[in-house]
Amino acid sequence: MKMGSEVYHNLKTIIKKKYGQDAVNVGDEGGFAPAIQSNAEALNLINQAIEAAGYTGKIKIGMDIAASEFYTKDGQYDLNFKVEPNDGSGKMPAKELEDLYTSWKEENPIVSIEDPFDQDDWDAWSSMVTRVGKDVQIVGDDLLVTNPNRIKQAIEKGSANALLLKVNQIGSITESIDAVKMAKEAGWAVMTSHRSGETEDTFIADIAVGLATGQIKSGAPCRSERLCKYNQLLRIESELENPEYAGDSYRHIALEA
């Protein structure tokens, strides 16, 4: 948590110096939105921040692609979907996008990619898991929507190897527990997640520990509705007799009865 916070503040300093004050105004989840010109530029900024904080080789990178947002009607992916006018030059098929992700993985310490393809592009998901799934967790959010039926289908198709757990997405604690059990029995990783519209309720921190998910996504260490989850984790740690940090084993933590 300390390492992540220090990287975040170094990133702010780097972005402010390069892009100006407006670029470090924070979004809903505490993130920055500088006027970068390429995806590689964003990764370079993060790597610079990791180095500036003194954690090169100690911190890994996770990405949330949200590819359904730029999936086109003709079954391609338009990386220039926000550009106007759009001449279509940014479109690529799933296989080419997979190649792009793989090149990023080879050049950066990426260990997690969320929603790399459209929520119904099952074959593309399966191909990605086959290609890099040993080293990278392929996390289903839009693909799975914390729904046991979708999770079962993804297990059968080999279309993911990690579940993004959103309690209010499926609607109940019982269904969330069932989803986690199903994922873990399949050998998947689980990442407990916040939502964009958050409050200062801290229950997902308790869920992350109680269900031994090993991972939590709660936004940047900025804004009270994000920080409160991390503070709750610190309180839980202080109450446990022998707390264990998952470390490199975060993808494979058994769920105790």
Side-chain angles (χ1 to χ4, degrees):
M1 200 176 297
K2 175 177 179 286
M3 293 162 69
S5 181
E6 290 178 0
V7 169
Y8 175 78
H9 288 288
N10 274 281
L11 179 62
K12 179 178 180 179
T13 299
I14 291 168
I15 290 176
K16 182 178 179 180
K17 182 178 180 180
K18 186 172 182 178
Y19 302 94
Q21 177 63 46
D22 288 350
V24 292
N25 293 335
V26 298
D28 286 347
E29 298 174 10
F32 306 122
I36 57 174
Q37 301 304 306
S38 71
N39 295 297
E41 189 175 350
L43 288 166
N44 288 336
L45 288 169
I46 293 170
N47 282 319
Q48 288 174 38
I50 292 171
E51 182 179 2
Y55 295 123
T56 299
K58 298 180 180 179
I59 284 184
K60 308 299 183 183
I61 296 174
M63 308 174 71
D64 180 2
I65 308 297
S68 292
E69 296 295 320
F70 54 92
Y71 188 63
T72 61
K73 292 181 180 179
D74 60 354
Q76 297 195 78
Y77 294 88
D78 187 1
L79 271 62
N80 291 338
F81 74 109
K82 290 186 177 181
V83 176
E84 293 293 345
N86 190 337
D87 62 4
S89 61
K91 283 187 177 182
M92 61 178 64
K95 186 61 178 176
E96 189 174 336
L97 186 58
E98 178 188 305
D99 291 341
L100 181 61
Y101 294 145
T102 303
S103 70
W104 291 346
K105 177 251 180 187
E106 291 172 350
E107 297 168 1
N108 300 275
I110 294 171
V111 296
S112 181
I113 303 177
E114 180 182 331
D115 284 344
F117 302 102
D118 180 69
Q119 60 202 38
D120 292 315
D121 198 354
W122 293 95
D123 289 343
W125 282 80
S126 299
S127 177
M128 187 75 181
V129 171
T130 299
R131 185 169 180 179
V132 302
K134 181 179 178 181
D135 301 318
V136 180
Q137 65 176 15
I138 308 301
V139 187
D141 177 15
D142 294 341
L143 178 76
L144 305 173
V145 291
T146 320
N147 186 308
N149 292 328
R150 298 278 294 188
I151 295 169
K152 182 175 184 293
Q153 189 174 358
I155 292 170
E156 292 171 350
K157 292 176 177 289
S159 298
N161 60 17
L163 164 69
L164 193 75
L165 173 65
K166 290 181 173 177
V167 177
N168 71 341
Q169 191 176 52
I170 186 59
S172 73
I173 301 300
T174 300
E175 290 168 304
S176 298
I177 293 172
D178 289 342
V180 171
K181 285 182 178 178
M182 185 179 294
K184 284 181 174 287
E185 286 171 0
W188 285 16
V190 180
M191 182 188 296
T192 305
S193 177
H194 63 166
R195 306 301 298 271
S196 293
E198 272 290 339
T199 70
E200 291 193 4
D201 184 273
T202 62
F203 185 63
I204 66 166
D206 297 271
I207 280 282
V209 176
L211 295 182
T213 65
Q215 304 175 69
I216 187 170
K217 183 169 76 166
S218 181
C222 171
R223 300 176 62 105
S224 62
E225 77 277 8
R226 311 293 157 182
L227 283 169
C228 63
K229 280 74 167 174
Y230 300 123
N231 288 335
Q232 178 69 353
L233 289 174
L234 293 174
R235 285 190 289 269
I236 292 170
E237 181 186 37
S238 70
E239 293 176 7
L240 295 175
E241 291 184 4
N242 297 297
E244 292 186 25
Y245 178 59
D248 289 335
S249 302
Y250 65 93
R251 287 178 62 182
H252 304 288
I253 305 174
L255 181 61
E256 296 182 5

